[in-house]
Amino acid sequence: MTVDVHRHLNQRPPFLFVDSATIESSSSIVTTVCFNSDAEFFKGHFPGDPVVPGVLLIEAMAQSARLLVNYGHGTPVKGYLVGIEVAKFNSIVRPGMTLNVRTALVADYSQIKQFSSGCFHGRTRCARARLSLQLVA
Amino acid sequence: MNTRLEELVDALTQKPPFRYLDRAFEIPGSPGTLGGIAAFDGRADRYQPSDGLPFPFVVECLAQLSSVFLRNMNERASGGLLVSIDSGREYSFARLPASICLRISLRQMMPPFFIFDGAAECDGRIIGEATITVRANVEHES
């Protein structure tokens, strides 16, 4: 099922990195992410040789996880990225590359939810991480 | 003020608006440790919708400080590439604009890989910690 990203995420451009999303089940989501070449951060990372910062791939994965949570609640829920585990950056991501971000809920402790997420360009995995979100009641 | 460290901060491959590290300094009595200061202006067009600092930026600051550490340790080093975040924890939210105090310690060397423990403070409280692995002597830093 396709999801209205703007309805279920509070982030807005230029800090909204999820372009579209498909809910696969109550515990998994696939999003598409593409960092446009005119993004401001490319001016500094790196001048004349733009590369998507790894930490922004983490943020894109966190937004995907939050989108899955918010979709389940029906509206955006206040919450924070509180944990990152075994995040690996496997290959360079350039501006304009469309990534598929596959994210699955792997543990649910009510207010703390853990996700496994990976960014793929075609069949190449560019990054992966295990993330924890804390929801605020 | 350590002029060499100032020069190494200026020489970071990351440039504004994606260079957040403003200063680096040695911590007396703590070999293998480096301190730093990062400033975030809180521009709404960069951090919407919250006025809080997203945790990945704290990790980026620690990675930039680790690049300065590697260059300071080895003049031939061209910095470091962030290859993994082994663990990261956010304890509280830094409200923007914010000045972040950073500290990294070299935990382990397995050249070309270097593992650092890092912590970030804001307004006297620790806002987050991370253990990161950086690969030295590569084309880019992250």
Side-chain angles (χ1 to χ4, degrees):
Chain A
M1 178 181 295
T2 302
V3 176
D4 182 347
V5 173
H6 284 77
R7 177 183 171 193
H8 293 287
L9 279 180
N10 284 331
Q11 285 87 351
R12 291 292 178 264
F15 205 69
L16 172 63
F17 300 127
V18 175
D19 296 323
S20 63
T22 302
I23 298 287
E24 290 192 321
S25 72
S26 60
S27 61
S28 73
I29 186 171
V30 179
T31 59
T32 59
V33 172
C34 182
F35 295 89
N36 292 323
S37 59
D38 58 356
E40 187 186 16
F41 58 81
F42 283 128
K43 295 176 185 172
H45 195 274
F46 300 93
D49 187 18
V51 174
V52 176
V55 295
L56 294 189
L57 296 177
I58 296 290
E59 177 63 27
M61 290 188 270
Q63 289 183 10
S64 300
R66 185 175 290 189
L67 186 53
L68 179 63
V69 171
N70 290 347
Y71 179 80
H73 281 78
T75 58
V77 180
K78 196 167 186 179
Y80 305 101
L81 173 66
V82 294
I84 304 170
E85 303 290 341
V86 290
K88 304 282 187 189
F89 306 108
N90 306 109
S91 64
I92 285 176
V93 178
R94 299 283 184 183
M97 288 172 59
T98 297
L99 305 178
N100 286 319
V101 181
R102 308 188 70 87
T103 304
L105 177 69
V106 293
D108 189 344
Y109 305 104
S110 185
Q111 297 304 104
I112 301 273
K113 299 182 188 298
Q114 292 183 334
F115 299 86
S116 176
S117 187
C119 297
F120 296 84
H121 181 244
R123 300 182 67 173
T124 302
R125 185 169 64 190
C126 305
R128 66 181 167 93
R130 184 175 286 239
L131 306 173
S132 297
L133 297 184
Q134 180 170 17
L135 307 185
V136 179
Chain B
M1 196 73 70
N2 185 318
T3 303
R4 172 169 165 73
L5 289 174
E6 297 287 304
E7 290 172 353
L8 292 177
V9 171
D10 288 341
L12 279 170
T13 313
Q14 296 92 338
K15 302 299 180 193
F18 203 76
R19 190 180 71 206
Y20 300 110
L21 187 66
D22 289 335
R23 284 184 51 208
F25 51 87
E26 292 171 341
I27 299 175
S30 299
T33 299
L34 208 57
I37 302 287
F40 289 87
D41 57 14
R43 281 177 47 183
D45 63 343
R46 205 180 299 166
Y47 308 114
Q48 283 183 348
S50 167
D51 59 348
L53 178 64
F55 183 55
F57 285 100
V58 174
V59 178
E60 177 64 27
C61 291
L62 295 172
Q64 291 183 9
L65 185 58
S66 73
S67 285
V68 172
F69 184 102
L70 290 174
R71 288 182 175 209
N72 192 43
M73 185 174 69
N74 180 353
E75 288 189 1
R76 290 179 301 170
S78 61
L81 174 73
L82 177 65
V83 293
S84 70
I85 304 166
D86 306 299
S87 69
R89 288 281 177 273
E90 182 182 63
Y91 303 125
S92 66
F93 225 30
R95 293 288 170 193
L96 296 173
S99 181
I100 309 296
C101 296
L102 308 162
R103 179 187 177 107
I104 57 162
S105 300
L106 181 61
R107 174 197 278 200
Q108 193 173 357
M109 289 192 292
M110 299 176 294
F113 297 101
F114 295 80
I115 301 175
F116 293 92
D117 291 321
E121 289 185 19
C122 184
D123 295 332
R125 68 185 194 282
I126 296 178
I127 59 170
E129 294 180 311
T131 299
I132 59 176
T133 300
V134 174
R135 188 174 65 208
N137 292 327
V138 290
E139 183 182 358
H140 293 303
E141 302 163 89
S142 182

